[in-house]
Amino acid sequence: MPFMDLDQFIASLKSGKTPPEGCSLPLQALWWSENGNWEAAHGLSQDAKNSDGDWVHGYLHRVEGDEGNAGYWYSRSGKPFPEVSLEDEWRAMVVALLG
C-alpha cells in the first residue's frame, strides 16, 4: 500500500466510493464502518482471519452495543477491551494498522 497517514485515510472517506487501493482487510473494514456500512465492515473483518481482523471484529461488535461478543473478539486478538470512546479507538486502530 502506498504511504498513507491518518489524515489521508480520513480524507479518503469523503473522496472515495471504496477504500484506498492496497488497504488490508481490517483497514477496509474500518473504512466501511466509518462510512456507515456495518455489514460490509463485519464481513471484511471476518475474512481477514488474523489478529488484526479479530481486533476490528471486536470493535464492530462494540459499535453495535454487543459488549459480550466484542469481548470475545478482543480476547482472540490479544487486545484488552478498550476504555476509550469508539471514535478514539477507531483513530488509534487506523494509525496502528497503517503502520
Side-chain angles (χ1 to χ4, degrees):
M1 172 174 65
F3 175 76
M4 178 178 291
D5 65 18
L6 176 63
D7 291 335
Q8 291 167 320
F9 189 81
I10 290 171
S12 78
L13 293 165
K14 297 178 180 121
S15 65
K17 295 188 188 309
T18 59
E21 189 172 323
C23 283
S24 66
L25 292 176
L27 273 171
Q28 290 178 50
L30 290 172
W31 192 94
W32 283 113
S33 173
E34 194 67 10
N35 266 305
N37 191 334
W38 189 93
E39 290 298 328
H42 186 253
L44 288 163
S45 71
Q46 288 181 307
D47 289 347
K49 299 186 188 322
N50 60 32
S51 61
D52 289 342
D54 292 345
W55 186 23
V56 173
H57 198 160
Y59 165 81
L60 292 169
H61 283 293
R62 188 171 169 235
V63 166
E64 79 171 339
D66 186 350
E67 291 194 359
N69 201 358
Y72 169 78
W73 289 102
Y74 283 115
S75 176
R76 276 186 53 136
S77 75
K79 306 282 186 189
F81 197 95
E83 296 183 16
V84 297
S85 70
L86 288 167
E87 179 181 330
D88 287 348
E89 182 184 13
W90 184 90
R91 294 174 71 83
M93 293 174 85
V94 170
V95 167
L97 293 172
L98 285 172

